[in-house]
Amino acid sequence: MPTKPIPANQNAGPIPGPGLTDYVGASQRVFRLALSAMARPAHRLDFDFDGLFGPSPPLPPSVAALALTLADHLTPVWLSPSFAAAEPFLAFHASAPIARVPGKAAIVLAASPKELPELLSLNQGDPRYPDRSTTVILGGALEATSMGITFLATGPGLAEETIFSDHGLGMDFARQWELNRASYPLGVDVFLAGDGCLAGLPRSLALIPKPS
Amino acid sequence: MYVAVKGGQKAITEAHKLLEETRRGDLSVPEISLAQIQNQMGLAVDRVQAEGSLYAPKLAALATKQAKGDLVEAIFLLRAARASLKRFGYSEPIETASMRARRRVSGTFKDIPGGQILGPTFDYTHRLLKRSLMDGGQAPPGGAPIPIAKGPGAQPGADGLGGELLGVATILEREGILETVGTAPEDGEPFDLTRQPLEVPLARPGRLQALARADEGFLLALAYSSQRGFGSVHPFVAELKLGPVELGFRAPELGMPITVGEIEVTECQTANQFKGGAGKPPMFTRGYGLTFGHNERKALSMAIVDRALRAGELGEAIKGPAQNPEFVLYHGDNVEASGFVSHIKLPHYVDFQAELSMLRAMRKKFNGSGGPPEPDDKDE
Amino acid sequence: MERQRIMRALALSRENTLIELMGSLGDIPPFEYLRRPQKGLIMVKARADAKNQAFNLGEALATRCSVNLNGKAGHAYVLGDEPEKCLAAALADALAQDERFRPEIERIALCLEADMARARALEVQKTQKTKVDFFTLVRGEDAD
């Protein structure tokens, strides 16, 4: 055993706050919710993420809950600039390595569509293992004040075309999303993590901007 | 493929009740406790941990109890439990040189540093059933049980049984007659079978991981076949050791490695004859076996098969199954093997109907038109 | 006493002994959980031929826990499903960083080490009896 002596009063870093109060129960429920979000895309699912935590986490509760459920010691996580302060929290609770560039991340946490890296710059997966592409958790896109464009959503998981609005995604996202979908089966999947709600955009989903 | 069949729910529920009844057995007989299984059936528990690939003695004892003593079923239970748990990370590599060996023997030299320590072994027993162990028999006097595994320990090195016992393999290596295979350190983490699919060719770290969790009986037969000439390995046991080693873990929040406990392992190092080839001089080549718990037969077999699987890199002709990585690695996991073999018990009604029709059509052709009519001889 | 040494003594201790010794501390400051005792796996790495390429042997069940006690973070990782032992160890780790309690924690660590040494000495005694003494193989009439 390497025994370089370390004095007993030295901590490794700032003390992070507590994470999910009931890790096992919460992560099960959040995972199930995430599955539902991807299975029925572009559909807003309500969920009390706040209730999963004691003191507020340093990320929006929906983002934090998803990150703590999905990340582990093998999934490098990239944090967008507004989320940078949450590094110790994630490193402690998820044991997640922090990626310095989005292209090296298994999970990207973006605080808003403005801070979302170009989707093509993310890991697109591998022809034999397309599932190994980056998963994006995008905050700030499902807020009540969102004013994005209206999409017509269609694809696997939707019995019929669905109007998808009440989000903060604009034409730039629409353009990127079309390119993403064109590279199917490669490409990234996106979770829209809002205030008390979640929606999933799997790479197989078509989002067609609808003229208003 | 099998078909999902409805309508059996009630029968299944009743089957579970009956299973629980037979598991418990005669109610006038006291229920077996986990402590009894852990203490008095420890070698069963050790096998379940080794092949379940989870070091968790209490859970392994529970699995053994629940599986009514069917160890492969218990291994399945432990693997399932393991799949539901979060991974904290990878440990520091264990230092078997610092093992507090409670058994340590060598087949290569009589006199070894620290001596030949037999420990608790069946090796020299006469294999006669002991009436004294029967109910009401007089149990032979024994000492207090030797604390194992979870037993705490003082600083290593104090007693000659712990600390740095000079390894027999090291002695041979220093003479230059035992090979060194690869070198530490390497970049990143070694191949992890629990995270990446098994594909051949597979480098030695992946093979060792697969062998460590492989079925003991399978490896035993392969090792035996190899010794008997199906791709021969002529092994000598340089060192066989059993005992606890400390487990270190570098928790990210601590920024330093800490000891989290002790695990018991069985380690076997073999020296094998090698006449030279593939640019290498004649020397002894290595085989390595390592298991959780006390599993000597498994560790020995693993070391023999490890060496056999190195045939390719040593320029040896592949003459037997033990030397064939695809044969060995794909068929060694008894949970996988049991799953596929057992699945044929499940309803294959549609498949079989299809087979039946095809067979009848073939028979009609075989018998020629005008032959005796087949029963139910109409197209489906 | 270095932090690693204290944590080692705590991790290797017998649960009853540790909890009893911690109980002897009397009142300790209130604490809050940073992480409640949580079960998980540590993948055990070993070295091929005991010295060469690392390989993954299999996973070990472990429990971890972290507490915040008066602004000091205490952590513990112990083998097995041991929530109480883990909490006691995390509290001890936090208290060791508090000058008021440090001497007590060091004393506890020494007690635990002594306990371990006693158990080990007994083990060695029994094991040594099984050591082969080759000289006894030479009978009187065979001696040269």
Side-chain angles (χ1 to χ4, degrees):
Chain A
M1 281 291 306
T3 49
K4 178 168 150 227
I6 294 179
N9 60 359
Q10 177 185 326
N11 284 332
I15 300 180
L20 295 163
T21 307
D22 166 25
Y23 175 78
V24 174
S27 61
Q28 282 178 356
R29 292 168 58 207
V30 170
F31 192 81
R32 184 67 183 84
L33 187 80
L35 281 179
S36 298
M38 282 296 167
R40 192 176 172 196
H43 187 80
R44 209 180 171 105
L45 296 171
D46 291 320
F47 188 87
D48 176 21
F49 292 103
D50 277 21
L52 300 177
F53 296 92
S56 297
L59 294 165
S62 58
V63 174
L66 258 182
L68 293 183
T69 297
L70 297 178
D72 71 8
H73 71 117
L74 291 174
T75 57
V77 177
W78 182 82
L79 293 160
S80 77
S82 302
F83 281 165
E87 243 188 65
F89 177 84
L90 262 185
F92 178 71
H93 288 291
S95 303
I98 302 295
R100 292 295 153 209
V101 293
K104 296 250 190 257
I107 299 175
V108 152
L109 301 187
S112 65
K114 271 212 314 268
E115 293 193 9
L116 179 63
E118 186 81 18
L119 296 183
L120 275 179
S121 72
L122 304 177
N123 186 337
Q124 303 293 303
D126 179 281
R128 284 198 309 162
Y129 303 106
D131 54 297
R132 292 186 184 171
S133 65
T134 304
T135 299
V136 175
I137 301 173
L138 178 57
L142 280 184
E143 311 314 337
T145 50
S146 299
M147 281 204 310
I149 61 182
T150 300
F151 286 117
L152 201 62
T154 166
L158 292 172
E160 54 206 14
E161 292 173 340
T162 308
I163 303 287
F164 181 50
S165 52
D166 295 332
H167 57 77
L169 305 168
M171 277 311 294
D172 188 58
F173 184 84
R175 170 191 64 79
Q176 292 190 45
W177 191 254
E178 204 185 305
L179 289 170
N180 188 51
R181 186 163 164 270
S183 48
Y184 186 89
L186 302 185
V188 304
D189 310 304
V190 174
F191 284 103
L192 300 176
D195 191 9
C197 58
L198 183 73
L201 307 178
R203 69 192 75 173
S204 51
L205 182 72
L207 287 173
I208 303 155
K210 194 165 142 46
S212 36
Chain B
M1 58 163 260
Y2 55 89
V3 207
V5 177
K6 291 196 164 188
Q9 188 58 59
K10 185 160 184 298
I12 288 172
T13 306
E14 290 301 317
H16 287 164
K17 283 194 203 150
L18 193 54
L19 177 66
E20 180 50 30
E21 227 181 87
T22 56
R23 186 203 64 72
R24 177 59 182 87
D26 186 348
L27 291 173
S28 69
V29 174
E31 179 160 4
I32 194 169
S33 74
L34 294 192
Q36 284 172 315
I37 296 174
Q38 239 182 297
N39 278 277
Q40 295 168 48
M41 309 248 111
L43 297 179
V45 171
D46 283 351
R47 181 179 169 200
V48 172
Q49 292 182 92
E51 293 171 30
S53 209
L54 176 64
Y55 194 90
K58 284 199 198 116
L59 288 184
L62 173 60
T64 304
K65 175 175 175 176
Q66 186 174 329
K68 223 171 137 57
D70 178 343
L71 295 188
V72 177
E73 178 68 29
I75 286 160
F76 194 161
L77 288 170
L78 207 62
R79 290 269 187 100
R82 176 233 152 242
S84 71
L85 290 163
K86 182 184 175 65
R87 167 93 65 86
F88 293 153
Y90 293 91
S91 78
E92 301 289 284
I94 54 175
E95 303 282 350
T96 55
S98 309
M99 179 196 288
R100 299 191 291 112
R102 55 194 190 99
R103 170 161 160 75
R104 188 265 193 143
V105 295
S106 170
T108 47
F109 296 109
K110 187 178 72 130
D111 295 308
I112 51 177
Q116 306 263 5
I117 299 153
L118 301 182
T121 177
F122 288 115
D123 287 354
Y124 304 98
T125 64
H126 301 134
R127 267 67 187 216
L128 297 173
L129 288 173
K130 279 194 192 151
R131 298 201 165 269
S132 59
L133 289 178
M134 290 174 71
D135 298 343
Q138 291 282 75
I146 297 178
I148 54 168
K150 280 179 66 175
Q155 297 294 336
D159 43 53
L161 270 185
E164 306 286 330
L165 264 181
L166 183 61
V168 178
T170 311
I171 296 170
L172 292 171
E173 236 179 27
R174 285 182 185 170
E175 267 200 57
I177 54 174
L178 179 63
E179 64 167 343
T180 299
V181 185
T183 40
E186 357 21 71
D187 302 318
E189 297 294 353
F191 181 90
D192 188 347
L193 254 188
T194 65
R195 289 290 181 271
Q196 289 154 268
L198 194 162
E199 287 168 335
V200 288
L202 184 59
R204 197 171 178 220
R207 299 199 304 256
L208 287 171
Q209 184 180 15
L211 292 177
R213 60 181 20 209
D215 184 80
E216 179 182 320
F218 181 66
L219 288 190
L220 176 64
L222 286 172
Y224 185 39
S225 77
S226 166
Q227 288 178 284
R228 288 194 71 250
F230 288 89
S232 34
V233 175
H234 301 284
F236 288 92
V237 174
E239 194 158 351
L240 176 68
K241 282 205 297 199
L242 163 72
V245 290
E246 288 192 15
L247 187 65
F249 180 66
R250 187 179 291 264
E253 57 267 30
L254 289 168
M256 62 179 177
I258 53 167
T259 299
V260 301
E262 281 189 326
I263 61 170
E264 179 152 275
V265 296
T266 306
E267 181 192 55
C268 177
Q269 297 198 62
T270 58
N272 307 272
Q273 210 185 73
F274 179 63
K275 297 184 174 62
K280 294 188 185 215
M283 57 164 67
F284 287 112
T285 46
R286 286 180 174 272
Y288 190 69
L290 185 68
T291 72
F292 283 151
H294 189 180
N295 277 291
E296 287 180 35
R297 195 178 303 112
K298 168 79 180 279
L300 279 161
S301 303
M302 177 174 162
I304 293 174
V305 175
D306 170 48
R307 170 56 182 87
L309 287 175
R310 295 182 54 224
E313 85 201 38
L314 292 168
E316 293 171 333
I318 292 187
K319 292 187 288 190
Q323 298 170 301
N324 181 338
E326 195 177 332
F327 186 85
V328 173
L329 300 175
Y330 276 103
H331 304 118
D333 186 314
N334 58 29
V335 175
E336 267 189 50
S338 170
F340 197 55
V341 167
S342 303
H343 103 283
I344 63 178
K345 294 185 279 186
L346 296 170
H348 283 71
Y349 307 146
V350 170
D351 291 14
F352 193 72
Q353 283 304 314
E355 287 281 333
L356 209 52
S357 323
M358 204 166 62
L359 189 68
R360 286 188 181 134
M362 284 161 60
R363 284 173 67 86
K364 208 160 144 188
K365 240 196 205 157
F366 181 84
N367 293 331
S369 47
E374 294 285 319
D376 288 325
D377 192 15
K378 54 181 187 289
D379 287 348
E380 293 290 344
Chain C
M1 205 187 261
E2 315 89 58
R3 192 178 185 193
Q4 277 171 316
R5 181 173 166 194
I6 296 174
M7 294 182 96
R8 177 174 176 272
L10 297 167
L12 292 175
S13 68
R14 281 183 281 201
E15 186 187 5
N16 298 342
T17 316
L18 174 60
I19 290 180
E20 204 182 292
L21 286 168
M22 288 296 288
S24 74
L25 282 176
D27 288 328
I28 63 170
F31 69 94
E32 60 163 30
Y33 283 109
L34 293 177
R35 174 155 53 216
R36 288 179 180 274
Q38 184 186 84
K39 279 189 304 203
L41 305 172
I42 295 175
M43 175 57 98
V44 177
K45 286 201 295 198
R47 291 206 178 280
D49 309 320
K51 56 183 291 207
N52 295 317
Q53 308 132 307
F55 70 97
N56 291 309
L57 176 62
E59 284 153 314
L61 181 66
T63 308
R64 67 178 177 183
C65 175
S66 296
V67 297
N68 180 351
L69 197 149
N70 270 357
K72 306 278 189 241
H75 304 289
Y77 281 75
V78 300
L79 268 193
D81 180 8
E82 308 274 1
E84 283 101 20
K85 177 180 174 185
C86 198
L87 174 59
L91 288 171
D93 181 51
L95 289 167
Q97 296 165 59
D98 181 331
E99 291 310 309
R100 292 175 292 162
F101 288 94
R102 186 175 175 66
E104 277 299 292
I105 299 298
E106 290 194 351
R107 183 187 63 81
I108 286 176
L110 286 170
C111 280
L112 292 173
E113 287 183 349
D115 188 42
M116 297 189 312
R118 267 190 301 273
R120 180 181 293 205
L122 180 63
E123 199 182 300
V124 168
Q125 212 179 34
K126 291 175 200 263
T127 305
Q128 278 288 17
K129 288 187 194 161
T130 68
K131 182 166 153 182
V132 179
D133 181 357
F134 285 101
F135 288 108
T136 64
L137 296 179
V138 181
R139 296 285 179 204
E141 59 271 40
D142 297 327
D144 50 1

